[in-house]
Amino acid sequence: MSYAQLLSNISIFENLQSEELEHLSTLLRSRRYAKGEVIFHQGDVGTALFILRKGQVNIRLSSEDGKEVILALLDRGDVFGELALLDDEPRSTDAVAREEVDLLSLQREDFRKFLEARPQVAMRLLSALSRLVRRVTQLVHDTTFLDARTRLVRVLLELAENQGRPGAEGVVIAQKLTQTELANLCGLTRESTNKWLRFYVREGLLSYEGGQITLVKPERLGQEAE
């Protein structure tokens, strides 16, 4: 697939004309990162945005004592790193390759010139950024007010809504997740996450094998989250 074809499948660029997509594609540069490699750190100067061409990336916050919270799990076609290019502030999160990834980068000045000439892209970009802000707000709310059991269920339902696909036993979450990654998404300890995963497996509401999560009875889980 060409760069222009990839761009046409990304929501913030999908309404561009073919010549605009071709122009944008000439500004992109390919970069690769190994599994576990940090693409950028929180506090780094933002010089480029990234488009995920292949692989998966975690957007996370980390503390000095090693605690982590995952804000987003990104997959092919997702755009990230754009916030620092808009406000000239340092990177607000870490971005880490979950597996070997192939990225396309777009430099700050090229990105800004492109946006200035195409306000419709800027509006779509703001919409994408607002979803991340809502995710952070929801995480703060859930961490403050909800118990561990409810937080886990809400994250599972959100993953199923965004990444779920029909399977033989129920709704399969596309990305395989370790218990540590799932705990970081929920803002929980690994021990607490494991406890409630095992509880819902015993109840027959989900299955968890080799990192693959299937919601066997998502409607029942939905009642648990209320």
Side-chain angles (χ1 to χ4, degrees), residues 47-62:
T47 60
L49 70 79
F50 298 93
I51 299 168
L52 189 48
R53 191 181 183 196
K54 179 183 178 183
Q56 299 173 344
V57 169
N58 283 343
I59 302 299
R60 72 182 190 191
L61 292 173
S62 55

Side-chain angles (χ1 to χ4, degrees), residues 10-21:
I10 297 173
S11 60
I12 65 173
F13 302 127
E14 63 183 4
N15 288 335
L16 295 180
Q17 301 297 316
S18 57
E19 60 270 18
E20 293 177 306
L21 292 170

Side-chain angles (χ1 to χ4, degrees), residues 1 12 18 34 58 70-71 88 114 117 124 171 183 191 199 210-211:
M1 179 181 294
I12 65 173
S18 57
N58 283 343
I70 298 176
L71 300 180
D88 292 323
F114 188 83
R124 286 181 171 271
V171 180
E191 292 74 18
F199 171 80

Side-chain angles (χ1 to χ4, degrees), residues 4 14 22 37 78 103 111 114 127 132 149 154 157 161 165-166 179 191 200 203 205 207:
E14 63 183 4
E22 290 293 342
E37 191 172 356
D78 285 326
L103 301 176
F111 176 57
F114 188 83
S127 177
L132 178 57
R149 173 176 173 172
R154 287 197 174 189
L157 291 171
E161 180 180 356
R165 54 179 174 78
Q179 289 188 19
E191 292 74 18
Y200 285 118
E203 292 292 305
L205 301 186
S207 67

Side-chain angles (χ1 to χ4, degrees), residues 55-84:
Q56 299 173 344
V57 169
N58 283 343
I59 302 299
R60 72 182 190 191
L61 292 173
S62 55
S63 64
E64 293 182 357
D65 61 1
K67 294 181 179 178
E68 296 179 1
V69 174
I70 298 176
L71 300 180
L73 297 173
L74 304 182
D75 212 331
R76 182 178 180 275
D78 285 326
V79 177
F80 64 98
E82 66 276 57
L83 186 58

Side-chain angles (χ1 to χ4, degrees), residues 165-219:
R165 54 179 174 78
E169 296 183 345
V171 180
V172 180
I173 295 173
Q175 294 190 25
K176 292 185 177 181
L177 297 169
T178 66
Q179 289 188 19
T180 298
E181 286 178 319
L182 186 56
N184 291 343
L185 273 171
C186 301
L188 299 172
T189 64
R190 185 181 182 279
E191 292 74 18
S192 182
T193 301
N194 179 53
K195 170 187 172 181
W196 288 111
L197 274 177
R198 288 188 287 108
F199 171 80
Y200 285 118
V201 169
R202 289 197 305 270
E203 292 292 305
L205 301 186
L206 62 84
S207 67
Y208 181 75
E209 298 181 5
Q212 186 72 74
I213 302 172
T214 301
L215 306 191
V216 178
K217 298 178 180 178
E219 67 286 347

